[in-house]
Amino acid sequence: MELKSIKDAFDRVANKQKLSYTKTQEIIQMLSQELDKALILLQEQFDHRPILASLKKTLQENSPLTQIEVREKELNMALTKYPKVLEKQQLNSDISKAYRHNVEFDTHVVNQIIANFFYRQGMFDVGDCFLAETGDESECSTRRSFVEMHQIVEAMEMRRELGPALNWATSNSEKLRQARSDLEMKLHSLRFLEIARDQTSQEAINYARKHMAGFADSSLYEIQKLICSLLWSRNLEHSPYSDLLAPSRWNDAVRELTRQYCNLLGESSESALSTTVAAGTQALPVLLKYMNVMVAASKKLDWQSVEQLPVAVELSEEFQFRSVFVCPVSKEQASDENPPMMMSCGHVLCKQTINKMSKNGARSSFKCPYCPTDVDISKCRQLHF
Amino acid sequence: MEIDPVTNGNTDAVMTEPTPAISPSRPLVPSSRLSQLTESIKLEHQLLRVPFEHYKKTIRANHRSLEREVSSVVSSVGDLADNDWSKDVAVSRLTSLVSRLQGLKRKLEEGSNVENLQAQRCRARIDHLDSADVENITEWNNTKLKRILVDYMLRMSYFETASKLSESSNILDLVDIDIFREAKKVIDALKRREVASALAWCADNKTRLKKSKSKLEFQLRLQEFIELVRADSYKQAILYARKHLTPWGATHMNELQHVLATLAFKSTTECAKYKALFELQQWDVLVHQFKQEFCKLYGMTMEPLLNIYLQAGLTALKTPYSFEEGCTKEDPLSQESFRKLALPLPYSKQEHSKLVCYISKELMDTENPPQVLPNGYVYSTKALKEMADRNKGEIKCPRTGFVCNHTDLIKAYIS
């Protein structure tokens, strides 16, 4: 797909438009001039008829309308070509082809999701305006929490203040530890560097002793770096540890804080809305291609009521949140009614396949399709991924 | 110092210190990301098409009015020369023509300015698509989400939020607020049961509507006719029909006859077929039809972009187990609101098994195969080894509390 050809096609349109404009300007100018000439002549001479007759003749010879038409036609051609160029570059002209129309999204739920997104991003006035316009009476429950989060983040980003962040981190220390987050350590390092810069090295060491000792098992290397950096206390920019001063450390800390805060709120680290839209962006091309193929082959598709998508959509790894087991024999996905079962040889099939292989219990053992072991049905164990 | 690489199939997620933090997967190898980006750009037809259609419309409208004016000036001159007017009349008429041309010149310039602004907007959109790069992809996607949200606001007529959002995110060039405002005027009028603006819109876009064989104008006229009948102004209704409905008779005779017969009924009739015609819901049908024609004209989808993307995304993320408890908070489908939306949607089809370890959230593949506890629960080899190392060989299932020894684990073979 080449954006250049789209740009070129549009440039052509713009050029033709300019040409048409200049030509029309010329024509109008010419008409004005001829009329002015005629008026002057009329003042001077007595007989007006030949002047008017010659004026008419001049206008006819110049045929202003035809000239304008010619340019306009060229412009029209360029205008008609442009959408064709878009199609040629494989821009999907209708992305709603794969949309299921019998599914109605509950507007209220969608509005809540959108409002939540706005609050999460810190766009409080937009979110409030939105809820006001929807006429939704219920307030978004997470608003207050996000306000708090943004206050902490703002303090860090705008004023380089670590106080609120440290308070929050220490009060949620246990949960952060459970989530195996290094947020506390990150914040303490930043504070340590601040103290080392503004106060004495001794104060910094005291701080480290008080707050960082508990992280020795997880962040020993970081602590070592920090303590060593005290050797260059006034000259950190020229030391081997100059990267400790990098502003990206603040950004990392802010990012980690946002993620952990959202996690503790029960939200995902990345906004759920943007994750879903990103997943949709990956899924749509596949679905649309499938629809086009079906339409081209004139196959009727009962699109509206299938339980499983008829085409596989491969999402990239970051969308793999839960395990999916596909039985290698039946190609069906495991579910509660059809769980994965492990046979004594270590291979796994889904329950329905195993039932079929053993003819619904008519035979007590069968051969595993992978290794030639005999499998006893009663010894098959249900797996939980 | 240990380097503990996270081998998840990711090439650049090597951490230089053994932090136990769970970080999200880093971007994949650029080439697949690039093709994903290209695919995502291919979905943006609407972004380019809508301002272009607007631009085309302006150009054609300007040209039409200009053509009319020029041809009228030329024919006035011809008329002056052909007929025998007095000199004074000729002078005064010529003078008025000259001033008319001056006005025309001004109008031409203004029209061209408007056209240029619209052309600029078209170009801004193309440039925006061009600016998408693997490097700034998060920001580009962020802007995309904001665009999609503005589109949703505009369709639901939340104009204030749309403006606020576009201004604060700096995407005014990438959204079509004015076009939707134009539509809203017509829709509001229709809701007030006035067809005038809708008919004006049809007249503005006559050629396009004719090309697509639209019968919107016909429907609007029929509705006006019915309203006249409802008000018992039969004579006016018949005159109206003679003037406006007969041109459509050639192509839509059946419908014409069907509606004309309302003359024979009162608006409170009980006859089902004709009662339906008098229903006020017919106006809602008209609104819907207008929206359809409008969207078709501008190359827009009927449904909000948000719904399209959400539907596709939810269905791609949904698995038969999606509604179980105990899933990671990262999954959008763990949230109540997303679950509600996903309920009537099909789940995605997968060709191959993809197993994710409950403990480490990593993929369980040949490098990190799944291991089975005696109670049937499965975790990744790495996570289990880590647990065993920390607890002297003891394994405790995090979901059931079941305790066993590292030696009790069995390897599972998943293809």
Side-chain angles (χ1 to χ4, degrees):
Chain A
M1 197 209 76
E2 281 265 330
L3 275 174
K4 186 160 183 327
S5 36
I6 299 182
K7 274 199 204 173
D8 289 341
F10 190 76
D11 283 338
R12 270 199 295 275
V13 170
N15 280 339
K16 294 288 181 216
Q17 189 260 350
K18 265 203 201 66
L19 283 175
S20 173
Y21 172 66
T22 32
K23 175 55 76 178
T24 319
Q25 256 188 333
E26 276 172 26
I27 298 285
I28 297 184
Q29 189 64 17
M30 183 272 292
L31 284 175
S32 295
Q33 276 173 341
E34 291 300 320
L35 287 183
D36 281 334
K37 262 200 302 209
L39 271 173
I40 295 176
L41 282 176
L42 281 175
Q43 307 283 7
E44 296 171 357
Q45 289 184 21
F46 182 68
D47 193 359
H48 57 284
R49 262 165 304 194
I51 301 175
L52 290 176
S54 85
L55 178 64
K56 176 178 171 192
K57 197 157 152 242
T58 328
L59 289 190
Q60 270 182 342
E61 280 169 7
N62 272 312
S63 57
L65 278 177
T66 338
Q67 288 194 39
I68 299 181
E69 280 294 315
V70 165
R71 288 276 179 266
E72 195 63 25
K73 209 174 185 179
E74 285 174 8
L75 176 56
N76 267 329
M77 261 174 43
L79 284 172
T80 342
K81 270 216 183 99
Y82 184 70
K84 298 209 177 98
V85 171
L86 289 184
E87 289 238 4
K88 201 158 162 222
Q89 291 305 320
Q90 299 167 356
L91 277 143
N92 250 304
S93 54
D94 185 7
I95 61 172
S96 65
K97 263 195 229 152
Y99 189 74
R100 308 180 104 213
H101 294 275
N102 63 343
V103 173
E104 281 277 331
F105 274 166
D106 184 349
T107 333
H108 176 75
V109 176
V110 176
N111 290 344
Q112 285 290 311
I113 291 179
I114 297 178
N116 199 27
F117 172 76
F118 284 139
Y119 291 139
R120 191 202 163 105
Q121 305 294 105
M123 305 197 275
F124 294 105
D125 50 347
V126 179
D128 291 335
C129 177
F130 173 67
L131 280 181
E133 268 192 298
T134 59
D136 230 323
E137 292 300 322
S138 56
E139 209 199 274
C140 190
S141 56
T142 47
R143 189 182 193 281
R144 207 173 310 143
S145 326
F146 282 126
V147 170
E148 195 195 317
M149 178 179 99
H150 277 278
Q151 280 170 346
I152 300 180
V153 168
E154 206 184 296
M156 275 185 78
E157 285 188 325
M158 298 287 142
R159 303 185 290 273
R160 290 287 197 249
E161 255 178 46
L162 286 168
L166 279 170
N167 282 340
W168 183 82
T170 354
S171 52
N172 290 293
S173 175
E174 186 52 45
K175 298 206 188 107
L176 286 173
R177 213 173 280 262
Q178 264 181 9
R180 297 175 13 181
S181 161
D182 60 348
L183 176 65
E184 280 186 275
M185 191 56 214
K186 277 196 163 83
L187 292 173
H188 284 308
S189 332
L190 289 170
R191 186 89 189 97
F192 177 91
L193 289 167
E194 263 184 7
I195 299 180
R197 184 191 63 211
D198 299 332
Q199 297 165 36
T200 65
S201 299
Q202 186 57 45
E203 302 263 320
I205 295 179
N206 289 342
Y207 184 83
R209 276 205 189 121
K210 186 165 168 205
H211 290 109
M212 300 208 247
F215 298 99
D217 52 348
S218 53
S219 314
L220 187 59
Y221 179 61
E222 174 82 4
I223 300 179
Q224 289 171 336
K225 262 177 38 174
L226 288 169
I227 302 290
C228 282
S229 75
L230 286 176
L231 291 172
W232 283 270
S233 58
R234 299 290 164 211
N235 210 7
L236 205 49
E237 307 86 57
H238 300 116
S239 77
Y241 294 112
S242 54
D243 59 325
L244 288 178
L245 291 172
S248 60
R249 293 188 63 126
W250 283 86
N251 296 341
D252 285 343
V254 167
R255 233 193 328 263
E256 182 66 17
L257 178 82
T258 328
R259 287 189 57 222
Q260 292 306 325
Y261 195 101
C262 293
N263 266 337
L264 290 187
L265 262 188
E267 301 256 332
S268 45
S269 319
E270 305 291 325
S271 149
L273 182 60
S274 48
T275 316
T276 316
V277 170
T281 314
Q282 286 193 5
L284 268 179
V286 179
L287 294 174
L288 290 169
K289 205 187 237 171
Y290 181 73
M291 282 304 292
N292 284 334
V293 166
M294 283 289 122
V295 165
S298 327
K299 286 219 182 87
K300 258 289 184 161
L301 180 63
D302 190 10
W303 188 237
Q304 307 294 330
S305 58
V306 288
E307 240 197 59
Q308 188 187 45
L309 280 181
V311 60
V313 177
E314 286 283 323
L315 294 177
S316 48
E317 266 181 41
E318 68 256 31
F319 297 109
Q320 213 58 45
F321 298 114
R322 34 175 67 254
S323 300
V324 170
F325 177 73
V326 176
C327 175
V329 174
S330 64
K331 296 285 183 218
E332 277 195 20
Q333 280 183 62
S335 61
D336 272 336
E337 298 88 38
N338 186 17
M341 311 277 281
M342 184 171 77
M343 302 179 281
S344 40
C345 53
H347 290 118
V348 184
L349 298 175
C350 73
K351 192 169 187 174
Q352 280 172 4
T353 309
I354 292 184
N355 282 339
K356 279 207 196 99
M357 306 267 295
S358 65
K359 309 270 188 280
N360 288 327
R363 296 168 54 179
S364 64
S365 76
F366 61 93
K367 281 220 188 325
C368 161
Y370 285 96
C371 54
T373 341
D374 264 329
V375 176
D376 199 340
I377 315 172
S378 52
K379 298 247 175 60
C380 293
R381 258 191 299 177
Q382 181 171 338
L383 290 187
H384 300 265
F385 285 115
Chain B
M1 169 219 80
E2 250 184 77
I3 298 185
D4 196 13
V6 176
T7 49
N8 217 356
N10 302 336
T11 53
D12 52 345
V14 177
M15 302 195 244
T16 52
E17 46 184 86
T19 53
I22 305 167
S23 58
S25 313
R26 295 286 180 77
L28 298 175
V29 183
S31 68
S32 73
R33 268 282 182 251
L34 194 60
S35 67
Q36 269 171 18
L37 187 56
T38 318
E39 287 300 318
S40 123
I41 292 181
K42 284 192 197 165
L43 296 171
E44 300 282 4
H45 178 111
Q46 186 167 314
L47 184 69
L48 296 181
R49 188 65 183 273
V50 177
F52 174 75
E53 291 296 328
H54 197 59
Y55 179 52
K56 189 161 88 171
K57 203 170 109 160
T58 316
I59 290 180
R60 292 217 168 124
N62 285 348
H63 170 72
R64 264 202 307 270
S65 82
L66 205 86
E67 199 184 23
R68 261 199 312 265
E69 286 285 317
V70 170
S71 104
S72 128
V73 165
V74 170
S75 62
S76 299
V77 168
D79 168 71
L80 269 183
D82 290 338
N83 301 331
D84 204 4
W85 302 103
S86 73
K87 186 173 178 188
D88 293 326
V89 170
V91 168
S92 80
R93 283 242 178 109
L94 276 183
T95 329
S96 78
L97 281 183
V98 168
S99 62
R100 209 163 143 195
L101 280 179
Q102 298 287 41
L104 195 56
K105 207 195 272 186
R106 248 196 334 267
K107 212 167 126 191
L108 175 69
E109 215 178 297
E110 281 166 12
S112 175
N113 284 340
V114 170
E115 286 170 20
N116 284 338
L117 279 176
Q118 293 186 352
Q120 222 175 330
R121 183 188 276 192
C122 291
R123 263 198 236 277
R125 308 264 175 118
I126 304 179
D127 287 338
H128 179 72
L129 286 188
D130 206 18
S131 74
D133 205 291
V134 186
E135 328 264 286
N136 64 355
I137 196 167
T138 342
E139 208 190 301
W140 199 88
N141 278 339
N142 219 342
T143 315
K144 178 176 171 150
L145 182 55
K146 304 253 170 73
R147 281 192 281 123
I148 293 177
L149 284 175
V150 173
D151 171 272
Y152 181 78
M153 305 295 165
L154 290 173
R155 298 209 193 226
M156 308 293 278
S157 303
Y158 303 147
F159 286 101
E160 231 187 285
T161 319
S163 318
K164 257 207 169 107
L165 181 54
S166 333
E167 275 159 22
S168 67
S169 323
N170 230 345
I171 48 175
L172 277 171
D173 256 345
L174 305 176
V175 294
D176 305 298
I177 301 186
D178 44 356
I179 294 180
F180 277 95
R181 270 201 223 270
E182 176 197 327
K184 182 145 188 348
K185 280 200 211 123
V186 176
I187 293 176
D188 280 347
L190 282 177
K191 288 206 176 137
R192 287 194 304 266
R193 281 138 74 189
E194 295 163 19
V195 294
S197 359
L199 283 171
W201 187 85
C202 286
D204 263 347
N205 298 288
K206 210 188 211 138
T207 23
R208 294 292 302 278
L209 289 175
K210 209 181 196 175
K211 219 191 267 178
S212 63
K213 298 210 182 47
S214 150
K215 51 180 197 172
L216 178 62
E217 195 188 329
F218 182 47
Q219 310 275 38
L220 290 166
R221 300 270 184 217
L222 283 179
Q223 191 61 35
E224 261 207 308
F225 177 81
I226 292 179
E227 291 305 315
L228 286 171
V229 173
R230 195 204 299 274
D232 290 339
S233 348
Y234 296 111
K235 208 157 177 202
Q236 270 186 307
I238 297 178
L239 287 171
Y240 187 85
R242 279 210 190 121
K243 187 168 173 205
H244 296 288
L245 292 181
T246 38
W248 296 91
T251 37
H252 296 96
M253 184 48 91
N254 285 338
E255 219 175 320
L256 181 58
Q257 286 176 335
H258 182 66
V259 173
L260 274 180
T262 52
L263 279 172
F265 293 84
K266 284 192 85 97
S267 56
T268 48
T269 181
E270 281 306 314
C271 167
K273 264 179 123 175
Y274 281 90
K275 189 169 181 194
L277 283 180
F278 283 111
E279 290 279 353
L280 288 178
Q281 260 97 318
Q282 289 287 83
W283 285 98
D284 295 332
V285 173
L286 274 180
V287 169
H288 181 81
Q289 276 173 335
F290 170 73
K291 280 189 184 165
Q292 259 184 328
E293 291 297 336
F294 189 82
C295 289
K296 205 159 44 162
L297 197 92
Y298 280 103
M300 293 196 274
T301 54
M302 268 292 275
E303 297 80 16
L305 289 176
L306 182 66
N307 291 25
I308 298 178
Y309 278 96
L310 272 185
Q311 231 196 45
L314 286 171
T315 198
L317 288 172
K318 189 175 171 185
T319 65
Y321 283 122
S322 274
F323 290 78
E324 258 188 20
E325 293 310 319
C327 56
T328 167
K329 281 281 166 239
E330 303 300 316
D331 187 356
L333 284 174
S334 64
Q335 316 251 346
E336 190 52 46
S337 39
F338 284 88
R339 277 193 186 169
K340 274 206 200 126
L341 292 182
L343 202 51
L345 293 172
Y347 56 81
S348 72
K349 177 176 175 178
Q350 304 282 344
E351 311 246 284
H352 303 285
S353 300
K354 288 204 183 82
L355 303 172
V356 176
C357 173
Y358 183 87
I359 301 178
S360 65
K361 311 294 180 220
E362 287 175 6
L363 221 52
M364 295 194 279
D365 50 18
T366 40
E367 292 175 32
N368 187 12
Q371 280 185 317
V372 186
L373 273 63
N375 65 350
Y377 279 73
V378 183
Y379 303 100
S380 64
T381 311
K382 282 207 190 114
L384 289 171
K385 180 150 192 329
E386 243 181 58
M387 194 194 293
D389 286 345
R390 271 183 286 149
N391 298 311
K392 304 196 192 57
E394 190 184 270
I395 301 288
K396 182 168 169 197
C397 172
R399 286 180 278 186
T400 55
F402 179 88
V403 176
C404 69
N405 197 290
H406 196 177
T407 47
D408 298 328
L409 301 175
I410 307 178
K411 222 175 175 169
Y413 297 94
I414 316 272
S415 55

